[in-house]
Amino acid sequence: MKGIILIGFMGAGKTTVGKLLSQKTGMKHIDFDDKIVEEIGMTIQEYFDLYGEEAFREKETAVLKRYLDHNQVVSTGGGIVMRSENRELLKQMAPVVYLQTKPEIFISRLKHDHTTVRPLVVSKSADEIKQVFEPRIPFYEESASMVVDTDERTPEEIVDEILNKI
């Protein structure tokens, strides 16, 4: 089986689903945010504060290029689709799975996640988070070869659907 790339907004379940896919397929799991933190030697929030979003997106693109054609499960960051270069790279890969999640679901998940600081949603209202998300929808759809709805579903159900569709 070829690798599997997971895309979607923050709180869509990319890391959770990625780890479970890794267990079920025997493929290694790579989490882009973890790789970036490892490379930059600081948290993503600290990097955003020091260098800004564009510098972070450049780092994200470099990581994407490095892990393009590997036989592994990759959980990307929620903003990977913001650069056209990344969307083009993703379209060359298969399968790229968009974990589609309604805003009220991922907002609830984000608000209850006290372990991960997300620079683009810290101290934002639900409406402000939606304003970050909505422009990304067409980019997720453009980049994906498969869309899987995650609302009201367990990670196991999502993984089963992905594996059945591949």
Side-chain angles (χ1 to χ4, degrees), residues 42-94:
M42 64 183 78
T43 68
I44 292 172
Q45 179 68 52
E46 290 167 335
Y47 196 83
F48 257 73
D49 292 345
L50 284 172
Y51 304 107
E53 183 176 358
E54 184 54 33
F56 176 77
R57 297 293 172 216
E58 288 175 20
K59 187 62 79 175
E60 200 173 44
T61 298
V63 172
L64 178 62
K65 287 178 179 177
R66 246 191 330 278
Y67 290 97
L68 266 179
D69 289 320
H70 292 72
N71 188 25
Q72 58 203 356
V73 177
V74 177
S75 300
T76 64
I80 194 81
V81 297
M82 295 307 294
R83 296 182 96 186
S84 60
E85 178 181 6
N86 294 349
R87 292 192 303 275
E88 291 305 314
L89 289 168
L90 287 166
K91 284 190 267 188
Q92 297 170 23
M93 306 167 74

Short mmCIF file of all heavy atoms in Angstrom, two decimals, residues 42-94:
data_model
loop_
_atom_site.label_atom_id
_atom_site.label_comp_id
_atom_site.label_asym_id
_atom_site.label_seq_id
_atom_site.Cartn_x
_atom_site.Cartn_y
_atom_site.Cartn_z
N MET A 42 11.67 24.86 18.92
CA MET A 42 10.77 25.67 19.75
C MET A 42 9.34 25.29 19.39
O MET A 42 9.12 24.56 18.42
CB MET A 42 11.01 27.17 19.54
CG MET A 42 10.71 27.66 18.13
SD MET A 42 11.09 29.41 17.85
CE MET A 42 12.85 29.38 17.66
N THR A 43 8.39 25.79 20.15
CA THR A 43 6.99 25.49 19.82
C THR A 43 6.59 26.27 18.57
O THR A 43 7.23 27.26 18.19
CB THR A 43 6.04 25.89 20.97
OG1 THR A 43 6.02 27.33 21.09
CG2 THR A 43 6.44 25.24 22.29
N ILE A 44 5.52 25.82 17.95
CA ILE A 44 5.00 26.52 16.77
C ILE A 44 4.55 27.92 17.16
O ILE A 44 4.78 28.88 16.42
CB ILE A 44 3.87 25.70 16.11
CG1 ILE A 44 4.47 24.42 15.51
CG2 ILE A 44 3.14 26.53 15.05
CD1 ILE A 44 3.47 23.43 14.99
N GLN A 45 3.94 28.06 18.33
CA GLN A 45 3.51 29.38 18.81
C GLN A 45 4.71 30.32 18.93
O GLN A 45 4.65 31.46 18.48
CB GLN A 45 2.81 29.25 20.17
CG GLN A 45 2.37 30.58 20.76
CD GLN A 45 1.24 31.23 19.98
OE1 GLN A 45 0.23 30.60 19.73
NE2 GLN A 45 1.42 32.47 19.58
N GLU A 46 5.82 29.83 19.51
CA GLU A 46 7.02 30.66 19.65
C GLU A 46 7.56 31.06 18.27
O GLU A 46 7.97 32.20 18.05
CB GLU A 46 8.10 29.92 20.44
CG GLU A 46 7.77 29.75 21.90
CD GLU A 46 8.68 28.75 22.62
OE1 GLU A 46 9.24 27.84 21.96
OE2 GLU A 46 8.82 28.89 23.84
N TYR A 47 7.56 30.10 17.33
CA TYR A 47 8.05 30.37 15.98
C TYR A 47 7.18 31.42 15.29
O TYR A 47 7.69 32.35 14.67
CB TYR A 47 8.09 29.07 15.17
CG TYR A 47 8.92 29.17 13.92
CD1 TYR A 47 10.30 29.01 13.97
CD2 TYR A 47 8.33 29.42 12.69
CE1 TYR A 47 11.07 29.10 12.82
CE2 TYR A 47 9.10 29.51 11.54
CZ TYR A 47 10.46 29.35 11.60
OH TYR A 47 11.22 29.44 10.47
N PHE A 48 5.85 31.27 15.43
CA PHE A 48 4.92 32.26 14.87
C PHE A 48 5.22 33.64 15.45
O PHE A 48 5.27 34.63 14.71
CB PHE A 48 3.47 31.88 15.21
CG PHE A 48 2.70 31.26 14.09
CD1 PHE A 48 2.96 29.98 13.67
CD2 PHE A 48 1.68 31.96 13.47
CE1 PHE A 48 2.24 29.40 12.65
CE2 PHE A 48 0.95 31.40 12.45
CZ PHE A 48 1.22 30.11 12.03
N ASP A 49 5.38 33.70 16.76
CA ASP A 49 5.62 34.99 17.43
C ASP A 49 6.93 35.64 16.96
O ASP A 49 6.98 36.85 16.78
CB ASP A 49 5.66 34.80 18.95
CG ASP A 49 4.29 34.44 19.54
OD1 ASP A 49 3.27 34.59 18.84
OD2 ASP A 49 4.26 33.98 20.70
N LEU A 50 7.97 34.82 16.77
CA LEU A 50 9.27 35.36 16.37
C LEU A 50 9.38 35.67 14.88
O LEU A 50 9.97 36.68 14.50
CB LEU A 50 10.38 34.37 16.74
CG LEU A 50 10.78 34.31 18.21
CD1 LEU A 50 11.74 33.15 18.45
CD2 LEU A 50 11.43 35.62 18.64
N TYR A 51 8.85 34.77 14.04
CA TYR A 51 9.11 34.87 12.60
C TYR A 51 7.87 35.09 11.74
O TYR A 51 8.01 35.42 10.56
CB TYR A 51 9.84 33.60 12.13
CG TYR A 51 11.12 33.36 12.88
CD1 TYR A 51 11.21 32.34 13.82
CD2 TYR A 51 12.25 34.16 12.66
CE1 TYR A 51 12.39 32.12 14.53
CE2 TYR A 51 13.43 33.94 13.36
CZ TYR A 51 13.49 32.92 14.29
OH TYR A 51 14.64 32.71 14.99
N GLY A 52 6.70 34.84 12.28
CA GLY A 52 5.47 35.07 11.53
C GLY A 52 4.99 33.84 10.77
O GLY A 52 5.69 32.83 10.66
N GLU A 53 3.78 33.97 10.26
CA GLU A 53 3.13 32.84 9.59
C GLU A 53 3.83 32.44 8.30
O GLU A 53 3.97 31.26 8.00
CB GLU A 53 1.66 33.16 9.30
CG GLU A 53 0.92 32.00 8.67
CD GLU A 53 -0.55 32.25 8.46
OE1 GLU A 53 -1.07 33.31 8.83
OE2 GLU A 53 -1.21 31.34 7.89
N GLU A 54 4.28 33.41 7.52
CA GLU A 54 4.90 33.08 6.23
C GLU A 54 6.15 32.23 6.41
O GLU A 54 6.38 31.27 5.67
CB GLU A 54 5.22 34.35 5.42
CG GLU A 54 5.76 34.07 4.04
CD GLU A 54 4.90 33.15 3.18
OE1 GLU A 54 3.65 33.17 3.29
OE2 GLU A 54 5.48 32.38 2.37
N ALA A 55 6.98 32.56 7.40
CA ALA A 55 8.18 31.76 7.67
C ALA A 55 7.79 30.34 8.07
O ALA A 55 8.43 29.37 7.67
CB ALA A 55 9.02 32.41 8.76
N PHE A 56 6.72 30.22 8.85
CA PHE A 56 6.25 28.90 9.24
C PHE A 56 5.78 28.12 8.03
O PHE A 56 6.08 26.92 7.88
CB PHE A 56 5.12 29.00 10.28
CG PHE A 56 4.54 27.67 10.63
CD1 PHE A 56 5.21 26.80 11.50
CD2 PHE A 56 3.34 27.23 10.08
CE1 PHE A 56 4.70 25.56 11.81
CE2 PHE A 56 2.82 26.00 10.40
CZ PHE A 56 3.50 25.15 11.26
N ARG A 57 5.05 28.78 7.13
CA ARG A 57 4.55 28.09 5.92
C ARG A 57 5.71 27.62 5.06
O ARG A 57 5.63 26.56 4.43
CB ARG A 57 3.61 29.00 5.13
CG ARG A 57 2.35 29.40 5.86
CD ARG A 57 1.42 28.24 6.12
NE ARG A 57 0.33 28.65 6.99
CZ ARG A 57 -0.22 27.88 7.90
NH1 ARG A 57 0.20 26.64 8.07
NH2 ARG A 57 -1.19 28.31 8.65
N GLU A 58 6.79 28.38 5.00
CA GLU A 58 7.98 27.95 4.24
C GLU A 58 8.57 26.69 4.85
O GLU A 58 8.96 25.76 4.13
CB GLU A 58 9.03 29.07 4.21
CG GLU A 58 8.65 30.22 3.32
CD GLU A 58 9.63 31.39 3.40
OE1 GLU A 58 10.78 31.18 3.83
OE2 GLU A 58 9.23 32.50 3.01
N LYS A 59 8.65 26.65 6.15
CA LYS A 59 9.17 25.48 6.86
C LYS A 59 8.26 24.27 6.59
O LYS A 59 8.74 23.16 6.33
CB LYS A 59 9.24 25.78 8.36
CG LYS A 59 9.90 24.74 9.19
CD LYS A 59 11.34 24.50 8.84
CE LYS A 59 12.28 25.52 9.40
NZ LYS A 59 13.69 25.19 9.13
N GLU A 60 6.97 24.50 6.60
CA GLU A 60 5.99 23.44 6.34
C GLU A 60 6.15 22.87 4.93
O GLU A 60 6.11 21.65 4.74
CB GLU A 60 4.59 24.06 6.51
CG GLU A 60 3.47 23.13 6.73
CD GLU A 60 2.19 23.90 7.06
OE1 GLU A 60 1.87 24.91 6.39
OE2 GLU A 60 1.49 23.46 7.98
N THR A 61 6.40 23.73 3.95
CA THR A 61 6.61 23.29 2.57
C THR A 61 7.87 22.43 2.47
O THR A 61 7.88 21.40 1.79
CB THR A 61 6.71 24.50 1.62
OG1 THR A 61 5.47 25.21 1.66
CG2 THR A 61 6.99 24.06 0.18
N ALA A 62 8.92 22.84 3.15
CA ALA A 62 10.17 22.06 3.13
C ALA A 62 9.94 20.66 3.71
O ALA A 62 10.44 19.67 3.15
CB ALA A 62 11.25 22.80 3.93
N VAL A 63 9.17 20.56 4.77
CA VAL A 63 8.87 19.26 5.37
C VAL A 63 8.02 18.43 4.41
O VAL A 63 8.27 17.24 4.22
CB VAL A 63 8.18 19.42 6.75
CG1 VAL A 63 7.69 18.09 7.29
CG2 VAL A 63 9.15 20.06 7.75
N LEU A 64 7.04 19.04 3.77
CA LEU A 64 6.19 18.33 2.81
C LEU A 64 7.04 17.74 1.69
O LEU A 64 6.89 16.57 1.33
CB LEU A 64 5.13 19.27 2.24
CG LEU A 64 4.19 18.67 1.18
CD1 LEU A 64 3.38 17.51 1.74
CD2 LEU A 64 3.27 19.75 0.61
N LYS A 65 7.95 18.51 1.15
CA LYS A 65 8.81 18.03 0.06
C LYS A 65 9.65 16.84 0.50
O LYS A 65 9.88 15.91 -0.26
CB LYS A 65 9.72 19.15 -0.44
CG LYS A 65 8.98 20.19 -1.26
CD LYS A 65 9.92 21.30 -1.68
CE LYS A 65 9.19 22.34 -2.52
NZ LYS A 65 10.07 23.45 -2.87
N ARG A 66 10.11 16.87 1.74
CA ARG A 66 10.95 15.79 2.25
C ARG A 66 10.18 14.47 2.42
O ARG A 66 10.77 13.41 2.33
CB ARG A 66 11.56 16.19 3.59
CG ARG A 66 13.04 16.34 3.51
CD ARG A 66 13.75 16.48 4.81
NE ARG A 66 13.09 17.09 5.92
CZ ARG A 66 12.98 18.41 6.13
NH1 ARG A 66 13.48 19.25 5.26
NH2 ARG A 66 12.38 18.87 7.19
N TYR A 67 8.90 14.56 2.69
CA TYR A 67 8.13 13.34 2.99
C TYR A 67 7.13 12.99 1.89
O TYR A 67 6.21 12.21 2.11
CB TYR A 67 7.41 13.49 4.33
CG TYR A 67 8.38 13.47 5.48
CD1 TYR A 67 8.82 14.66 6.04
CD2 TYR A 67 8.89 12.28 5.96
CE1 TYR A 67 9.75 14.65 7.07
CE2 TYR A 67 9.82 12.26 6.99
CZ TYR A 67 10.23 13.45 7.54
OH TYR A 67 11.15 13.43 8.56
N LEU A 68 7.36 13.50 0.71
CA LEU A 68 6.42 13.31 -0.40
C LEU A 68 6.13 11.86 -0.74
O LEU A 68 4.99 11.44 -0.69
CB LEU A 68 6.95 14.02 -1.65
CG LEU A 68 6.44 15.42 -1.88
CD1 LEU A 68 7.06 16.00 -3.14
CD2 LEU A 68 4.95 15.47 -1.96
N ASP A 69 7.09 11.13 -1.13
CA ASP A 69 6.85 9.80 -1.69
C ASP A 69 7.27 8.67 -0.77
O ASP A 69 7.81 7.67 -1.21
CB ASP A 69 7.56 9.67 -3.04
CG ASP A 69 6.89 10.51 -4.11
OD1 ASP A 69 5.65 10.55 -4.12
OD2 ASP A 69 7.60 11.13 -4.90
N HIS A 70 7.01 8.83 0.49
CA HIS A 70 7.35 7.78 1.44
C HIS A 70 6.13 6.93 1.72
O HIS A 70 5.00 7.40 1.70
CB HIS A 70 7.89 8.39 2.74
CG HIS A 70 9.21 9.04 2.58
ND1 HIS A 70 9.39 10.22 1.91
CD2 HIS A 70 10.43 8.66 3.00
CE1 HIS A 70 10.66 10.56 1.93
NE2 HIS A 70 11.32 9.63 2.58
N ASN A 71 6.36 5.68 2.02
CA ASN A 71 5.29 4.74 2.32
C ASN A 71 4.95 4.86 3.81
O ASN A 71 5.40 4.06 4.62
CB ASN A 71 5.75 3.32 1.97
CG ASN A 71 4.63 2.33 2.09
OD1 ASN A 71 3.46 2.67 1.97
ND2 ASN A 71 4.98 1.09 2.35
N GLN A 72 4.18 5.91 4.15
CA GLN A 72 3.84 6.18 5.54
C GLN A 72 2.54 6.96 5.63
O GLN A 72 2.04 7.46 4.63
CB GLN A 72 4.97 6.96 6.20
CG GLN A 72 5.26 8.27 5.50
CD GLN A 72 6.66 8.77 5.77
OE1 GLN A 72 7.40 8.19 6.55
NE2 GLN A 72 7.04 9.85 5.14
N VAL A 73 2.03 7.04 6.83
CA VAL A 73 0.84 7.85 7.10
C VAL A 73 1.34 9.21 7.57
O VAL A 73 2.15 9.30 8.48
CB VAL A 73 -0.04 7.20 8.19
CG1 VAL A 73 -1.23 8.09 8.50
CG2 VAL A 73 -0.49 5.80 7.77
N VAL A 74 0.86 10.27 6.91
CA VAL A 74 1.31 11.62 7.22
C VAL A 74 0.12 12.46 7.68
O VAL A 74 -0.86 12.60 6.95
CB VAL A 74 1.97 12.28 6.00
CG1 VAL A 74 2.36 13.72 6.31
CG2 VAL A 74 3.18 11.49 5.54
N SER A 75 0.23 13.03 8.87
CA SER A 75 -0.75 13.99 9.37
C SER A 75 -0.16 15.38 9.16
O SER A 75 0.83 15.75 9.80
CB SER A 75 -1.01 13.77 10.86
OG SER A 75 -1.52 12.48 11.10
N THR A 76 -0.73 16.13 8.23
CA THR A 76 -0.22 17.47 7.93
C THR A 76 -0.78 18.47 8.92
O THR A 76 -1.69 18.17 9.69
CB THR A 76 -0.63 17.89 6.50
OG1 THR A 76 -2.05 18.00 6.44
CG2 THR A 76 -0.11 16.93 5.46
N GLY A 77 -0.25 19.69 8.87
CA GLY A 77 -0.81 20.78 9.65
C GLY A 77 -2.05 21.31 8.96
O GLY A 77 -2.23 21.14 7.75
N GLY A 78 -2.92 21.95 9.72
CA GLY A 78 -4.19 22.43 9.18
C GLY A 78 -4.05 23.46 8.08
O GLY A 78 -4.95 23.62 7.25
N GLY A 79 -2.92 24.16 8.02
CA GLY A 79 -2.74 25.20 7.02
C GLY A 79 -1.88 24.80 5.84
O GLY A 79 -1.51 25.65 5.02
N ILE A 80 -1.58 23.52 5.71
CA ILE A 80 -0.70 23.05 4.63
C ILE A 80 -1.22 23.48 3.25
O ILE A 80 -0.45 23.71 2.33
CB ILE A 80 -0.49 21.52 4.68
CG1 ILE A 80 0.68 21.07 3.80
CG2 ILE A 80 -1.75 20.77 4.30
CD1 ILE A 80 2.01 21.23 4.41
N VAL A 81 -2.53 23.61 3.11
CA VAL A 81 -3.13 23.94 1.81
C VAL A 81 -3.11 25.43 1.49
O VAL A 81 -3.55 25.83 0.40
CB VAL A 81 -4.59 23.42 1.73
CG1 VAL A 81 -4.63 21.90 1.84
CG2 VAL A 81 -5.46 24.06 2.81
N MET A 82 -2.57 26.24 2.38
CA MET A 82 -2.60 27.69 2.16
C MET A 82 -1.66 28.14 1.05
O MET A 82 -1.89 29.18 0.44
CB MET A 82 -2.27 28.43 3.46
CG MET A 82 -3.33 28.23 4.55
SD MET A 82 -5.00 28.63 3.99
CE MET A 82 -4.84 30.39 3.71
N ARG A 83 -0.63 27.39 0.77
CA ARG A 83 0.30 27.75 -0.31
C ARG A 83 -0.06 26.95 -1.55
O ARG A 83 -0.22 25.73 -1.50
CB ARG A 83 1.74 27.44 0.09
CG ARG A 83 2.21 28.28 1.26
CD ARG A 83 3.63 27.99 1.59
NE ARG A 83 4.45 28.99 0.90
CZ ARG A 83 5.77 28.96 0.88
NH1 ARG A 83 6.43 27.99 1.47
NH2 ARG A 83 6.44 29.90 0.27
N SER A 84 -0.12 27.61 -2.69
CA SER A 84 -0.46 26.93 -3.94
C SER A 84 0.57 25.85 -4.27
O SER A 84 0.23 24.79 -4.79
CB SER A 84 -0.60 27.92 -5.09
OG SER A 84 0.61 28.61 -5.29
N GLU A 85 1.83 26.10 -3.94
CA GLU A 85 2.88 25.11 -4.17
C GLU A 85 2.56 23.80 -3.43
O GLU A 85 2.72 22.70 -3.97
CB GLU A 85 4.23 25.66 -3.70
CG GLU A 85 5.37 24.69 -3.85
CD GLU A 85 6.69 25.26 -3.34
OE1 GLU A 85 6.72 26.37 -2.77
OE2 GLU A 85 7.71 24.58 -3.53
N ASN A 86 2.08 23.92 -2.20
CA ASN A 86 1.74 22.72 -1.42
C ASN A 86 0.55 21.99 -2.02
O ASN A 86 0.52 20.76 -2.06
CB ASN A 86 1.44 23.09 0.03
CG ASN A 86 2.66 23.61 0.76
OD1 ASN A 86 3.78 23.51 0.27
ND2 ASN A 86 2.43 24.15 1.93
N ARG A 87 -0.45 22.76 -2.49
CA ARG A 87 -1.62 22.12 -3.11
C ARG A 87 -1.20 21.33 -4.35
O ARG A 87 -1.69 20.22 -4.58
CB ARG A 87 -2.69 23.16 -3.44
CG ARG A 87 -3.31 23.78 -2.20
CD ARG A 87 -4.55 24.60 -2.48
NE ARG A 87 -4.38 25.69 -3.43
CZ ARG A 87 -3.95 26.91 -3.12
NH1 ARG A 87 -3.62 27.21 -1.87
NH2 ARG A 87 -3.87 27.85 -4.05
N GLU A 88 -0.30 21.89 -5.12
CA GLU A 88 0.18 21.18 -6.32
C GLU A 88 0.94 19.92 -5.93
O GLU A 88 0.78 18.87 -6.56
CB GLU A 88 1.04 22.10 -7.19
CG GLU A 88 0.26 23.21 -7.86
CD GLU A 88 -0.91 22.70 -8.69
OE1 GLU A 88 -0.74 21.73 -9.46
OE2 GLU A 88 -2.03 23.26 -8.55
N LEU A 89 1.77 20.01 -4.91
CA LEU A 89 2.50 18.84 -4.43
C LEU A 89 1.53 17.76 -3.93
O LEU A 89 1.68 16.58 -4.24
CB LEU A 89 3.47 19.23 -3.32
CG LEU A 89 4.68 20.05 -3.73
CD1 LEU A 89 5.40 20.62 -2.50
CD2 LEU A 89 5.64 19.23 -4.58
N LEU A 90 0.54 18.17 -3.17
CA LEU A 90 -0.44 17.21 -2.63
C LEU A 90 -1.21 16.52 -3.76
O LEU A 90 -1.48 15.32 -3.68
CB LEU A 90 -1.40 17.91 -1.68
CG LEU A 90 -0.82 18.30 -0.32
CD1 LEU A 90 -1.74 19.27 0.41
CD2 LEU A 90 -0.55 17.07 0.53
N LYS A 91 -1.55 17.26 -4.80
CA LYS A 91 -2.32 16.67 -5.91
C LYS A 91 -1.54 15.59 -6.64
O LYS A 91 -2.12 14.75 -7.31
CB LYS A 91 -2.78 17.76 -6.88
CG LYS A 91 -3.95 18.56 -6.34
CD LYS A 91 -4.54 19.45 -7.40
CE LYS A 91 -3.92 20.81 -7.34
NZ LYS A 91 -4.57 21.79 -8.20
N GLN A 92 -0.21 15.60 -6.52
CA GLN A 92 0.62 14.58 -7.15
C GLN A 92 0.67 13.30 -6.33
O GLN A 92 1.19 12.30 -6.78
CB GLN A 92 2.04 15.12 -7.33
CG GLN A 92 2.14 16.30 -8.25
CD GLN A 92 3.52 16.93 -8.20
OE1 GLN A 92 4.50 16.30 -7.84
NE2 GLN A 92 3.60 18.20 -8.57
N MET A 93 0.15 13.37 -5.13
CA MET A 93 0.22 12.23 -4.22
C MET A 93 -1.15 11.57 -4.12
O MET A 93 -2.17 12.19 -4.36
CB MET A 93 0.65 12.72 -2.84
CG MET A 93 1.95 13.50 -2.88
SD MET A 93 2.27 14.39 -1.38
CE MET A 93 2.73 13.05 -0.34
N ALA A 94 -1.14 10.30 -3.76
CA ALA A 94 -2.42 9.62 -3.57
C ALA A 94 -2.24 8.53 -2.54
O ALA A 94 -1.20 7.88 -2.50
CB ALA A 94 -2.91 9.02 -4.89
#
